[in-house]
Structure formats: C-alpha cells, structure tokens
Amino acid sequence: MKIDILTLFPDMFEGFKNESIIKRAIDNNKVEINTCNFRDFADNKHKKVDDTPYGGGNGMVLMCQPIFDAVDSLKKDNSKVILLSPQGEKYTQKKAYELSQEEHLIFICGHYEGFDERIKTICDEEISIGDYVLTGGELPSMVITDSIVRLIPGVIEEESHLKESFNDNLLDYPTYTKPRNYKGMEVPEVLLSGDHKKIDKWRNDERVKITALKRPDLLKNKLTLKKEGINKVKRKINVDDIKNIKVTEIKDVIKTGKYTLSKDDNTKAVTILNPKLITGYKLKGKTKNNELTKILIAKPDFATKIAMKNVRKKIDILTYRFGMALNDADDAVTGRVLGESELLKQIVINDYSRYLGKENLDNIIKNINQITSDFVKTRTMQNAMLSKIEKEDDDGDTSSGHRRSL
C-alpha cells in the first residue's frame, strides 16, 4: 500500500513515521508513506496557497490551484483521494477495514477556514474523525493512517485485530497479566483454569456487559442485526464464477455475529461465516498467483448507488474543465477537453456499466453528450464572434491605410 499526505507541515510526520509499528511496516515494505507540501505547487511569486473568501467573512480559504496540481502529480488509476473535513463521514473501524484494502490513498489536510468548495470535485470522499474542530488535518491523517496500516497483512498478527474493540459492535473483553494478585485485586479464576471453552464464554459475556455499560448504542445496533436473523443460517454459497476458488461448507459459525472471511492456503478455499449476508448480494473475487487477494460483497443496489456517485463526480470534474476551457482560446485546450469527454464515456462503459444498469448508463452517456454539445456550441459562437471582431479590425486598418495614401 502507498499513502500520500498533502500537508503544509510535513515536519509534523517525522516522529509519526519513525516510531513503533508504523516504522516497522515501512522498513518491511508493507507500506510506503510520503508527505507532499502542496505549497510547492503554488504558481504565484510568494507561494501563496490561501486567500480571502468571496462574499466576505473571517479567515482564509485554501485555493484550488496548488491542491489540484499536487493531486494531479500523485494520482494514478488505483488512487483514492480523501479530504479530511469536519463535514465528512464519521470514521469507524469498518471504514478502516475498507481503506486497508486500497492500493493507494491520498489524504488532503486542510488549514485555516477550510477549502475552496471546488476542491471537493477531485476527492472520492470526505472523512471526519469526530465531532470536534482541530487546527488542521494533520492529526486526523495520522489517526486514520495508523488505524489502516495495522490492518495490512503482516504488520501485526491477524488474530490481534480480529478480536479488538468495535468488531461485532462490541467492545473488547478485560485482559490481565502477572502478578495474579496486586494490592488485593485478583485475576478472575476462570482465566487461570486452563479451560479454553469456559474462558471464551467468559470473554464473550464480558464483552456484552462492558458494551452495555459503556456503549449501549453499539449493543442496540447489534441486537437489531440479530433480530433480522443475520447470524442464524448455514448454507453453501455458489461462486463458480470465481476462478481458482471454491467455497467450503460453513464451519464454526460465531454466535456473536462476527462477519469473517478466512482463506485456507492448502485448498484455496474461502469460508464465509454467517452466510445469510450473501442473500441478495454479489460475490466478486480477484486472484493473484492463484491466491485469493480480495473479496467484495455488496448489494447490487448499493453498488449501483456508489457507481452513480463516482460517475457524478467525474461528470462534475468534466463540466468544470469545460468551463475553464471556455476561458482559454487555445485550440489545443479545446481538443484536450473533448478528448477527456470521450475518455469518460469509455470509462463509464468499461468500468461502471455492469453496476449501473442499461437505463442509468443510457442517461449518463446522454448527459455527457449534452454537456459536450453545449460546450462545442459555445466554443463555436466564441470563435465566430472572435473572427468577426478580427475582420472588423482588419477592415478598419485597411480603410485607415487608404486615407493615409490619399
């Protein structure tokens, strides 16, 4: 995995990258973490990256140009751009697992009174680490990066994070170490019994008790899932379309409702616990060197929603580029944005059509064609008006010349 962090204060990350688990992950080539000072991309004499807000108001607002250019210099086909903002989706362990599956993340750290709204058009999503305000996005980017890196295979033992707080909507169970008795406080006898079945039961019971006491909202969500019968059914899943992968009968269904995917290296088998989650979902697998590297489970209508959201963002960017092109008389700029329009249509057809459905796909292509047509008409009118002005100027110069010769 590669993580690029756009910041005005790259020195803040030196300690973060050179200590503890993050440093080991970098040294072992599990992750590459880079900082990028977007002030270096400012195209003005004084390297200014902010300005006063239109309409008045306090503070300064980060400008588009430095951030757009910085992202363009880093972004690849596999990149996901994330804006760290109080307006974003609240960060959770579930989101950490999702982001840990990405190949390249680009975080944009803000400062001052916020971002120019147009910067959001180049971002895939916005994330907030909580309902409070910080001086900048550097600390949130460290929090999110730390939570992601520890989930990368090989960084820490997989069992460690599978049993952590917030998995299954439950907090973690109490843990103890030596001595057995400290100032009259003794380790629970069950942990000294050697009976792992009793220990597991005690730990599960403690998780429920602690969650009920400290975070009853999590327990409520868990009970809602249980009422819907999510963790009650065993059955074999048909995924014949996944190359080199077979699905075994369900084993050891966890009663607490944990959703687990595990791989048997010998048989290349995937065991899915609580498989009723698969009802009405599509299962897509990717293989590399005959090993399963990723499984995506998503409701078709949810996949359509995400696809539509991503496509709308791309159309917004195209519309913005068309608008900028109208302010530039260079024919090369016109050709470039028209090429982007055709490329976007191909991307939508090749990458999104299977999620969108025929009706949505037709409407999107029609929308792109209409935007392109409007641009071409406006550009044609501009050129005609410019030609008319130039002709009038030429005629005026000729008339002046005749008068001078007379």
Side-chain angles (χ1 to χ4, degrees), residues 291-303:
E291 290 186 358
L292 184 66
T293 59
K294 188 175 183 179
I295 286 184
L296 172 66
I297 304 175
K299 268 188 174 180
D301 59 346
F302 178 74

Side-chain angles (χ1 to χ4, degrees), residues 9 11-12 27 29 32 61 65 98 104 108 151 157 184 204 254 265 279 288 312 321 339 346 355 361 363 375 394:
F9 304 99
D11 290 346
M12 290 181 65
D27 291 344
N29 297 317
E32 177 184 345
V61 177
Q65 179 270 317
E98 290 177 11
H104 183 206
I108 304 177
L151 297 176
E157 293 184 9
N204 285 332
I254 300 174
D265 289 330
T279 301
K288 182 178 181 181
R312 287 192 191 102
R321 295 198 187 280
Q346 289 303 313
Y355 304 113
L361 179 62
N363 288 335
F375 168 76
D394 289 341

